[in-house]
Amino acid sequence: MKKLLLFLCVLAYADLYDTKDYAKAYPILKKECNKDNANSCYKLGKMNEFGLGTGISYSYAYKYYKKSCDLNNKEACGELGKMYYLGLGVEKNIKKANELLENACKNDVYSACDSYAYLQKTEYKVFKQDELLKACNGGIASSCVEIADKISPVQGIDLYLRACGLGDDLACQMAANWYITSQAVNNKIANFSDLSDKECKNNNYKACNSIANVYRNLNNIEKAKEYYDLACKLDDSNSCSSLAVIQEQSKEFELGIKNYEKACDLKDSYSCARLGFMYKEGLKDNDKTYIKENASKSKKYFKQACELGNTRVCE
């Protein structure tokens, strides 16, 4: 019975942390950390480092990361290495940072691989391609870009696409540029969805938006709409707005209005302003009325857009 209650307690604090109810999670995690629960100590380190449910305290972040690392939490060891490298909460120690990050990387802590490669480049002028590739394959977009920038465009395109799928806008732009200018790279377009779908379908709205932007740059509007729609369903206001613009341009007015409304509700100023103009002027096409002129609704949307920073529609 005691084991069951302990298990339920652990689930409870995990849920509080995962649902970002940090203020409630903090005292429970602290209690578990005092019982040498390595994962709880690691989460406390994160919370103190970034001010989640408590004030930012690098000294406490260091304290909890160290305890978690001492309890063999490899992710905490990676974070501890970062603290030593940056001198956060502890005196800067490049040698110690290097050891911790290298070991964490060997234990498949991908963020540590990225940090280790950065340390090696900045401190020792050594390019660690294997570690960067490991981080890239583990989902660290910046590592994918770092390698791609170092090698030829044809070799690097898959890495740009991988980073794009992880939500790196610059990588998406680089991929689009090379598709447009290089036939050798253009031949890889068939592989694009395979390289990017996984991240997008894993509810990474930023990845969905980035992929949609690439397809839009390549003038593949149907694919762009598909990915903008996925991101919009994940409540990305920018994607809802972009989708609405495309739908309006293709005269899918009912869908466009619906997505402008959703984007406006998600605090996209352009969408609120666009709705304001629609209600001010009305929206008709081929004798079909989609929006009737309505001064009060127009004023309401202009007011929302103004409050969201679109000064052009402020009265």
Side-chain angles (χ1 to χ4, degrees), residues 168-230:
D168 190 298
D169 292 334
L170 177 60
C172 291
Q173 187 60 55
M174 291 297 294
N177 290 345
W178 286 115
Y179 277 140
I180 293 166
T181 60
S182 169
Q183 184 57 45
V185 174
N186 242 327
N187 293 333
K188 288 178 172 284
I189 190 65
N191 297 326
F192 182 70
S193 291
D194 292 337
L195 291 162
S196 56
D197 271 0
K198 186 176 180 181
E199 291 297 329
C200 178
K201 299 291 175 59
N202 196 34
N203 294 336
N204 183 340
Y205 74 85
K206 189 174 180 181
C208 301
N209 177 262
S210 296
I211 298 161
N213 289 337
V214 168
Y215 279 119
R216 194 175 185 182
N217 288 336
L218 296 171
N219 205 32
N220 188 333
I221 301 304
E222 289 306 309
K223 276 289 185 182
K225 285 165 62 177
E226 176 186 338
Y227 284 104
Y228 280 136
D229 184 56
L230 287 169

Side-chain angles (χ1 to χ4, degrees), residues 51-151:
L52 306 174
T54 185
I56 291 176
S57 172
Y58 296 127
S59 59
Y60 276 112
Y62 167 78
K63 168 188 170 183
Y64 288 119
Y65 283 143
K66 186 176 187 310
K67 181 169 183 178
S68 183
C69 180
D70 290 343
L71 291 167
N72 208 32
N73 183 304
K74 300 306 180 185
E75 288 182 316
C77 294
E79 295 300 323
L80 190 62
K82 182 186 72 178
M83 303 292 278
Y84 274 114
Y85 181 52
L86 298 175
L88 298 176
V90 66
E91 186 176 347
K92 188 168 183 173
N93 188 324
I94 301 299
K95 183 179 179 181
K96 186 72 173 175
N98 193 67
E99 291 174 359
L100 285 163
L101 290 170
E102 184 179 16
N103 287 332
C105 179
K106 287 178 179 178
N107 282 283
D108 298 333
V109 180
Y110 303 117
S111 59
C113 295
D114 181 70
S115 297
Y116 173 66
Y118 180 79
L119 184 155
Q120 287 286 314
K121 182 179 77 170
T122 54
E123 299 296 328
Y124 305 114
K125 312 304 178 189
V126 176
F127 183 69
K128 289 289 186 177
Q129 182 165 315
D130 289 345
E131 285 78 2
L132 286 168
L133 185 59
K134 186 174 185 177
C136 174
N137 290 332
I140 309 297
S142 60
S143 292
C144 304
V145 174
E146 186 82 14
I147 304 172
D149 286 345
K150 191 82 171 177
I151 59 182

Side-chain angles (χ1 to χ4, degrees), residues 19-58:
T19 58
K20 300 182 180 181
D21 194 349
Y22 299 118
K24 290 182 180 178
Y26 194 90
I28 303 172
L29 288 167
K30 190 173 180 180
K31 184 177 180 180
E32 293 301 315
C33 179
N34 288 336
K35 296 177 182 177
D36 292 341
N37 183 307
N39 190 45
S40 296
C41 298
Y42 169 69
K43 289 179 177 178
L44 284 171
K46 282 283 185 186
M47 293 169 80
N48 278 279
E49 182 180 1
F50 296 105
L52 306 174
T54 185
I56 291 176
S57 172
Y58 296 127

